[in-house]
Amino acid sequence: MTALCLTTNPGLESVVAAEWRERAQAAGCPPATPECRPLGIDGQVAIASEAPTRPLAALAGQMRTIYHVMRHCHQFELPATEPLAAIRQQLLQLTIPEMQAAERFRITTQRSGDHAFSSMDVQREAGAALVERYGKTVDLEHYDTEIRVDAFDRVCLVSVQLTRSPLDRRHPQLYAPRVALKTVVAHAMLRLSGLAAPQGRLLDPCCGSGTLLLEAAQLMPAWRCYGSDRDARCVAGARQNLEAAGVAERCPLQQLDARDLARHFPPQGFEAIVTNPPWGIRLGRKIDLVGFYRKLLTGAWTVLVPGGRLTLLVGRKRAAFNRLLDQLGLFEVRHARAIETNDVHPMLFVLERRDRP
Ligand SMILES: C[S@@+](CC[C@H](N)C(=O)[O-])C[C@H]1O[C@@H](n2cnc3c(N)ncnc32)[C@H](O)[C@@H]1O
């Protein structure tokens, strides 16, 4: 029996489960029902399967909606008194085959909840216990085995992290602004958009470094993926990234204002607009967000085909955004969910263009 744990952004667990089911079925894996948020842990999906670890982990390693793949080893409740001593005791008794084969290892910890100890305390205690048990060396940089000892409220989970670096680092990032979208979130937005047609035209009018375009160009190789941004540095940076990924020919870019789409693009020129506009949190604090949304929605309606999709993340002014949707009557809400990314909680909307307002 193999127990894997896949990590993603809180709010995207069901998207991971859907991707896993598709890939497992295509690979002829024995059926295994993914469990979203096991033990209530946000951003995790558990897979339990009769299949051996290696092929399952290889399959999970191809996924595009996750960051890490872990083999779950053990879980236990943290006592209210002496929790660090309990971690030490549990690890001294735990058999981890990967530790027997390891030469150098490191411990990493994710922690959420109210604890009297820090992540560093967990790492120190757990590391000492594993050194004592296996006689291997701790090496934070040149390690061959990474053990996760995570504390979520009163539960402690021990796993072997099978992915060395996060799986979302799949595109060249010659230009990587602080506000670049996580590739995993970009991929989830594209999946949730439900763009099943083999060919089409997609636009990201706030493309920044081009994350959505890079992901779309790989996911939908016969689509043309247009990008624009108001900032010339972003357009140049996105171009660098798209060229490095070898998809620039299919991704024309220009510098323009997303509030003015109807002036720059032909009516009904796109099947989809997928975008991550400023949220008014780290970027765009000073802009009139409601005015921006109004213009974006009306312009998007003009340049989308009937039934076309507008998928976007909305940060601040969510209530006003919802009111605008009602007032304008241009789009049907097909899907909405709250997600978490970089400690911010935007709402992911998939809207469908109505035939007429
Ligand atoms: C959150 S960032 C997008 C990040 C991008 N998804 C990435 O991965 O790098 C928002 C982008 O919107 C652009 N922007 C802000 N106001 C705009 C406007 N009125 N028209 C077009 N782009 C705008 C900013 O320059 C910024 O690049």
Side-chain angles (χ1 to χ4, degrees):
M1 182 68 143
T2 303
L4 291 186
C5 179
L6 314 177
T7 66
T8 190
N9 293 80
L12 293 181
E13 298 88 352
S14 65
V15 184
V16 172
E19 186 187 8
W20 169 265
R21 276 192 291 267
E22 276 170 27
R23 288 187 185 268
Q25 195 179 13
C29 267
T33 311
E35 184 190 352
C36 294
R37 303 180 69 249
L39 302 168
I41 301 170
D42 287 333
Q44 296 208 355
V45 177
I47 311 280
S49 169
E50 297 299 330
T53 304
R54 204 180 275 257
L56 275 192
L59 191 63
Q62 294 166 17
M63 290 178 69
R64 300 183 80 99
T65 54
I66 62 170
Y67 297 95
H68 282 292
V69 182
M70 301 184 294
R71 187 180 75 71
H72 176 71
C73 304
H74 184 50
Q75 74 192 50
F76 56 93
E77 196 164 324
L78 286 168
T81 53
E82 308 273 350
L84 290 173
I87 290 175
R88 177 181 161 74
Q89 277 312 313
Q90 292 279 341
L91 283 171
L92 278 173
Q93 288 161 22
L94 186 62
T95 300
I96 305 175
E98 290 88 341
M99 275 304 293
Q100 281 154 347
E103 279 186 19
R104 293 162 195 277
F105 76 101
R106 79 169 190 183
I107 309 263
T108 45
T109 297
Q110 195 187 333
R111 199 180 60 77
S112 68
D114 204 8
H115 299 122
F117 53 81
S118 67
S119 298
M120 288 276 280
D121 293 333
V122 174
Q123 287 159 20
R124 203 176 308 113
E125 207 67 43
L130 292 184
V131 168
E132 188 176 327
R133 173 158 182 153
Y134 292 98
K136 306 295 169 74
T137 312
V138 174
D139 190 329
L140 297 186
E141 279 189 25
H142 307 288
Y143 58 93
D144 52 46
T145 301
E146 179 163 7
I147 304 296
R148 291 268 302 247
V149 182
D150 297 329
F152 299 110
D153 293 319
R154 301 264 66 85
V155 182
C156 185
L157 299 175
V158 183
S159 7
V160 180
Q161 186 158 300
L162 304 174
T163 32
R164 181 93 185 187
S165 53
L167 294 171
D168 70 323
R169 298 209 185 131
R170 49 182 169 259
H171 300 301
Q173 286 200 304
L174 303 179
Y175 174 66
R178 196 171 46 97
V179 293
L181 187 63
K182 294 273 184 201
T183 313
V184 159
V185 178
H187 188 85
M189 289 172 75
L190 291 163
R191 275 184 78 94
L192 291 170
S193 302
L195 309 175
Q199 290 186 347
R201 293 149 301 177
L202 174 145
L203 169 67
D204 177 357
C206 294
C207 70
S209 60
T211 314
L212 271 158
L213 300 171
L214 286 160
E215 198 60 18
Q218 284 195 353
L219 184 68
M220 307 184 300
W223 280 57
R224 271 182 90 71
C225 303
Y226 296 75
S228 54
D229 199 288
R230 193 176 59 165
D231 185 336
R233 276 171 314 173
C234 290
V235 175
R239 184 165 290 122
Q240 267 187 306
N241 288 344
L242 291 161
E243 277 169 2
V247 294
E249 268 189 22
R250 283 196 292 120
C251 302
L253 295 176
Q254 48 185 313
Q255 184 188 355
L256 57 87
D257 196 314
R259 290 171 290 197
D260 217 0
L261 295 182
R263 191 154 75 86
H264 298 284
F265 295 108
Q268 303 193 4
F270 297 100
E271 281 71 29
I273 297 177
V274 185
T275 194
N276 163 210
W279 298 340
I281 298 171
R282 286 185 186 133
L283 203 66
R285 270 178 190 275
K286 292 192 186 135
I287 71 169
D288 163 20
L289 263 190
V290 181
F292 175 88
Y293 289 142
R294 178 184 290 280
K295 289 178 177 163
L296 179 67
L297 287 168
T298 49
W301 188 86
T302 305
V303 304
L304 278 170
V305 298
R309 296 286 163 107
L310 167 60
T311 301
L312 77 167
L313 294 170
V314 174
R316 275 182 58 234
K317 304 280 179 197
R318 242 184 263 176
F321 181 81
N322 276 313
R323 276 197 299 277
L324 265 182
L325 285 177
D326 280 347
Q327 279 166 16
L328 296 172
L330 302 174
F331 291 92
E332 200 79 55
V333 178
R334 284 280 165 238
H335 187 90
R337 67 168 69 198
I339 67 163
E340 184 193 324
T341 179
N342 294 335
D343 296 328
V344 183
H345 296 79
M347 196 80 181
L348 191 166
F349 282 96
V350 180
L351 309 176
E352 186 174 306
R353 182 200 187 273
R354 289 202 173 122
D355 214 354
R356 51 181 64 83

PDB file of all heavy atoms in Angstrom, residues 9-27:
ATOM      1  N   ASN A   9      -2.121  24.874  -3.699  1.00  0.00           N
ATOM      2  CA  ASN A   9      -2.633  26.067  -3.017  1.00  0.00           C
ATOM      3  C   ASN A   9      -3.941  25.729  -2.310  1.00  0.00           C
ATOM      4  O   ASN A   9      -4.785  25.059  -2.917  1.00  0.00           O
ATOM      5  CB  ASN A   9      -2.929  27.182  -4.034  1.00  0.00           C
ATOM      6  CG  ASN A   9      -1.698  27.717  -4.673  1.00  0.00           C
ATOM      7  OD1 ASN A   9      -1.184  27.103  -5.595  1.00  0.00           O
ATOM      8  ND2 ASN A   9      -1.212  28.835  -4.203  1.00  0.00           N
ATOM      9  N   PRO A  10      -4.137  26.198  -1.089  1.00  0.00           N
ATOM     10  CA  PRO A  10      -5.447  26.026  -0.461  1.00  0.00           C
ATOM     11  C   PRO A  10      -6.541  26.529  -1.410  1.00  0.00           C
ATOM     12  O   PRO A  10      -6.415  27.608  -2.001  1.00  0.00           O
ATOM     13  CB  PRO A  10      -5.342  26.903   0.795  1.00  0.00           C
ATOM     14  CG  PRO A  10      -3.878  26.860   1.134  1.00  0.00           C
ATOM     15  CD  PRO A  10      -3.165  26.863  -0.191  1.00  0.00           C
ATOM     16  N   GLY A  11      -7.569  25.736  -1.573  1.00  0.00           N
ATOM     17  CA  GLY A  11      -8.665  26.103  -2.491  1.00  0.00           C
ATOM     18  C   GLY A  11      -8.591  25.356  -3.811  1.00  0.00           C
ATOM     19  O   GLY A  11      -9.562  25.302  -4.557  1.00  0.00           O
ATOM     20  N   LEU A  12      -7.433  24.766  -4.111  1.00  0.00           N
ATOM     21  CA  LEU A  12      -7.291  24.070  -5.403  1.00  0.00           C
ATOM     22  C   LEU A  12      -7.261  22.541  -5.243  1.00  0.00           C
ATOM     23  O   LEU A  12      -6.933  21.822  -6.193  1.00  0.00           O
ATOM     24  CB  LEU A  12      -6.013  24.544  -6.123  1.00  0.00           C
ATOM     25  CG  LEU A  12      -6.027  26.004  -6.575  1.00  0.00           C
ATOM     26  CD1 LEU A  12      -4.730  26.366  -7.301  1.00  0.00           C
ATOM     27  CD2 LEU A  12      -7.223  26.295  -7.477  1.00  0.00           C
ATOM     28  N   GLU A  13      -7.607  22.047  -4.057  1.00  0.00           N
ATOM     29  CA  GLU A  13      -7.493  20.599  -3.805  1.00  0.00           C
ATOM     30  C   GLU A  13      -8.325  19.783  -4.795  1.00  0.00           C
ATOM     31  O   GLU A  13      -7.868  18.759  -5.312  1.00  0.00           O
ATOM     32  CB  GLU A  13      -7.918  20.267  -2.362  1.00  0.00           C
ATOM     33  CG  GLU A  13      -7.064  20.913  -1.281  1.00  0.00           C
ATOM     34  CD  GLU A  13      -7.553  22.313  -0.881  1.00  0.00           C
ATOM     35  OE1 GLU A  13      -8.469  22.845  -1.549  1.00  0.00           O
ATOM     36  OE2 GLU A  13      -7.016  22.874   0.090  1.00  0.00           O
ATOM     37  N   SER A  14      -9.554  20.233  -5.094  1.00  0.00           N
ATOM     38  CA  SER A  14     -10.408  19.431  -5.989  1.00  0.00           C
ATOM     39  C   SER A  14      -9.870  19.449  -7.426  1.00  0.00           C
ATOM     40  O   SER A  14     -10.116  18.519  -8.198  1.00  0.00           O
ATOM     41  CB  SER A  14     -11.858  19.933  -5.950  1.00  0.00           C
ATOM     42  OG  SER A  14     -11.922  21.237  -6.471  1.00  0.00           O
ATOM     43  N   VAL A  15      -9.148  20.494  -7.782  1.00  0.00           N
ATOM     44  CA  VAL A  15      -8.554  20.559  -9.123  1.00  0.00           C
ATOM     45  C   VAL A  15      -7.429  19.515  -9.214  1.00  0.00           C
ATOM     46  O   VAL A  15      -7.265  18.830 -10.229  1.00  0.00           O
ATOM     47  CB  VAL A  15      -8.005  21.984  -9.415  1.00  0.00           C
ATOM     48  CG1 VAL A  15      -7.485  22.087 -10.835  1.00  0.00           C
ATOM     49  CG2 VAL A  15      -9.079  23.023  -9.163  1.00  0.00           C
ATOM     50  N   VAL A  16      -6.682  19.380  -8.122  1.00  0.00           N
ATOM     51  CA  VAL A  16      -5.625  18.360  -8.058  1.00  0.00           C
ATOM     52  C   VAL A  16      -6.241  16.964  -8.172  1.00  0.00           C
ATOM     53  O   VAL A  16      -5.764  16.113  -8.933  1.00  0.00           O
ATOM     54  CB  VAL A  16      -4.834  18.489  -6.728  1.00  0.00           C
ATOM     55  CG1 VAL A  16      -3.870  17.323  -6.552  1.00  0.00           C
ATOM     56  CG2 VAL A  16      -4.082  19.809  -6.695  1.00  0.00           C
ATOM     57  N   ALA A  17      -7.319  16.753  -7.416  1.00  0.00           N
ATOM     58  CA  ALA A  17      -7.963  15.431  -7.435  1.00  0.00           C
ATOM     59  C   ALA A  17      -8.422  15.090  -8.857  1.00  0.00           C
ATOM     60  O   ALA A  17      -8.249  13.953  -9.317  1.00  0.00           O
ATOM     61  CB  ALA A  17      -9.139  15.412  -6.465  1.00  0.00           C
ATOM     62  N   ALA A  18      -8.977  16.075  -9.550  1.00  0.00           N
ATOM     63  CA  ALA A  18      -9.456  15.826 -10.923  1.00  0.00           C
ATOM     64  C   ALA A  18      -8.275  15.507 -11.846  1.00  0.00           C
ATOM     65  O   ALA A  18      -8.350  14.583 -12.672  1.00  0.00           O
ATOM     66  CB  ALA A  18     -10.223  17.053 -11.429  1.00  0.00           C
ATOM     67  N   GLU A  19      -7.186  16.253 -11.688  1.00  0.00           N
ATOM     68  CA  GLU A  19      -6.021  15.977 -12.547  1.00  0.00           C
ATOM     69  C   GLU A  19      -5.464  14.586 -12.247  1.00  0.00           C
ATOM     70  O   GLU A  19      -5.107  13.842 -13.155  1.00  0.00           O
ATOM     71  CB  GLU A  19      -4.914  17.031 -12.374  1.00  0.00           C
ATOM     72  CG  GLU A  19      -3.792  16.788 -13.390  1.00  0.00           C
ATOM     73  CD  GLU A  19      -2.556  17.660 -13.218  1.00  0.00           C
ATOM     74  OE1 GLU A  19      -2.436  18.391 -12.241  1.00  0.00           O
ATOM     75  OE2 GLU A  19      -1.674  17.557 -14.108  1.00  0.00           O
ATOM     76  N   TRP A  20      -5.407  14.230 -10.954  1.00  0.00           N
ATOM     77  CA  TRP A  20      -4.887  12.908 -10.589  1.00  0.00           C
ATOM     78  C   TRP A  20      -5.745  11.812 -11.229  1.00  0.00           C
ATOM     79  O   TRP A  20      -5.229  10.861 -11.815  1.00  0.00           O
ATOM     80  CB  TRP A  20      -4.845  12.729  -9.066  1.00  0.00           C
ATOM     81  CG  TRP A  20      -4.570  11.300  -8.738  1.00  0.00           C
ATOM     82  CD1 TRP A  20      -5.489  10.317  -8.458  1.00  0.00           C
ATOM     83  CD2 TRP A  20      -3.301  10.645  -8.765  1.00  0.00           C
ATOM     84  NE1 TRP A  20      -4.872   9.103  -8.295  1.00  0.00           N
ATOM     85  CE2 TRP A  20      -3.524   9.277  -8.483  1.00  0.00           C
ATOM     86  CE3 TRP A  20      -2.002  11.090  -9.000  1.00  0.00           C
ATOM     87  CZ2 TRP A  20      -2.492   8.356  -8.430  1.00  0.00           C
ATOM     88  CZ3 TRP A  20      -0.972  10.158  -8.933  1.00  0.00           C
ATOM     89  CH2 TRP A  20      -1.219   8.809  -8.657  1.00  0.00           C
ATOM     90  N   ARG A  21      -7.077  11.961 -11.096  1.00  0.00           N
ATOM     91  CA  ARG A  21      -7.974  10.918 -11.629  1.00  0.00           C
ATOM     92  C   ARG A  21      -7.748  10.738 -13.126  1.00  0.00           C
ATOM     93  O   ARG A  21      -7.644   9.622 -13.621  1.00  0.00           O
ATOM     94  CB  ARG A  21      -9.444  11.271 -11.346  1.00  0.00           C
ATOM     95  CG  ARG A  21      -9.884  10.832  -9.950  1.00  0.00           C
ATOM     96  CD  ARG A  21     -11.388  10.914  -9.806  1.00  0.00           C
ATOM     97  NE  ARG A  21     -11.846  12.284  -9.796  1.00  0.00           N
ATOM     98  CZ  ARG A  21     -12.026  13.001  -8.692  1.00  0.00           C
ATOM     99  NH1 ARG A  21     -11.822  12.460  -7.513  1.00  0.00           N
ATOM    100  NH2 ARG A  21     -12.416  14.250  -8.758  1.00  0.00           N
ATOM    101  N   GLU A  22      -7.631  11.857 -13.842  1.00  0.00           N
ATOM    102  CA  GLU A  22      -7.413  11.775 -15.303  1.00  0.00           C
ATOM    103  C   GLU A  22      -6.108  11.057 -15.624  1.00  0.00           C
ATOM    104  O   GLU A  22      -6.058  10.170 -16.465  1.00  0.00           O
ATOM    105  CB  GLU A  22      -7.289  13.188 -15.899  1.00  0.00           C
ATOM    106  CG  GLU A  22      -8.603  13.831 -16.208  1.00  0.00           C
ATOM    107  CD  GLU A  22      -8.397  15.301 -16.560  1.00  0.00           C
ATOM    108  OE1 GLU A  22      -7.300  15.665 -17.050  1.00  0.00           O
ATOM    109  OE2 GLU A  22      -9.325  16.085 -16.315  1.00  0.00           O
ATOM    110  N   ARG A  23      -5.057  11.462 -14.930  1.00  0.00           N
ATOM    111  CA  ARG A  23      -3.740  10.878 -15.249  1.00  0.00           C
ATOM    112  C   ARG A  23      -3.679   9.410 -14.846  1.00  0.00           C
ATOM    113  O   ARG A  23      -3.098   8.581 -15.550  1.00  0.00           O
ATOM    114  CB  ARG A  23      -2.614  11.659 -14.546  1.00  0.00           C
ATOM    115  CG  ARG A  23      -2.384  13.023 -15.163  1.00  0.00           C
ATOM    116  CD  ARG A  23      -1.162  13.694 -14.561  1.00  0.00           C
ATOM    117  NE  ARG A  23      -1.009  15.039 -15.079  1.00  0.00           N
ATOM    118  CZ  ARG A  23      -0.289  15.361 -16.153  1.00  0.00           C
ATOM    119  NH1 ARG A  23       0.358  14.438 -16.811  1.00  0.00           N
ATOM    120  NH2 ARG A  23      -0.219  16.609 -16.557  1.00  0.00           N
ATOM    121  N   ALA A  24      -4.260   9.080 -13.699  1.00  0.00           N
ATOM    122  CA  ALA A  24      -4.220   7.693 -13.222  1.00  0.00           C
ATOM    123  C   ALA A  24      -5.000   6.800 -14.179  1.00  0.00           C
ATOM    124  O   ALA A  24      -4.555   5.692 -14.517  1.00  0.00           O
ATOM    125  CB  ALA A  24      -4.788   7.619 -11.814  1.00  0.00           C
ATOM    126  N   GLN A  25      -6.143   7.299 -14.635  1.00  0.00           N
ATOM    127  CA  GLN A  25      -6.957   6.499 -15.557  1.00  0.00           C
ATOM    128  C   GLN A  25      -6.203   6.292 -16.878  1.00  0.00           C
ATOM    129  O   GLN A  25      -6.131   5.176 -17.393  1.00  0.00           O
ATOM    130  CB  GLN A  25      -8.272   7.204 -15.808  1.00  0.00           C
ATOM    131  CG  GLN A  25      -9.296   6.291 -16.431  1.00  0.00           C
ATOM    132  CD  GLN A  25     -10.624   7.003 -16.664  1.00  0.00           C
ATOM    133  OE1 GLN A  25     -10.705   8.223 -16.580  1.00  0.00           O
ATOM    134  NE2 GLN A  25     -11.643   6.235 -16.960  1.00  0.00           N
ATOM    135  N   ALA A  26      -5.598   7.357 -17.392  1.00  0.00           N
ATOM    136  CA  ALA A  26      -4.863   7.254 -18.664  1.00  0.00           C
ATOM    137  C   ALA A  26      -3.674   6.297 -18.531  1.00  0.00           C
ATOM    138  O   ALA A  26      -3.300   5.609 -19.485  1.00  0.00           O
ATOM    139  CB  ALA A  26      -4.381   8.637 -19.098  1.00  0.00           C
ATOM    140  N   ALA A  27      -3.081   6.246 -17.332  1.00  0.00           N
ATOM    141  CA  ALA A  27      -1.907   5.385 -17.132  1.00  0.00           C
ATOM    142  C   ALA A  27      -2.303   3.970 -16.727  1.00  0.00           C
ATOM    143  O   ALA A  27      -1.428   3.118 -16.523  1.00  0.00           O
ATOM    144  CB  ALA A  27      -1.007   6.000 -16.056  1.00  0.00           C
TER     145      ALA A  27
END
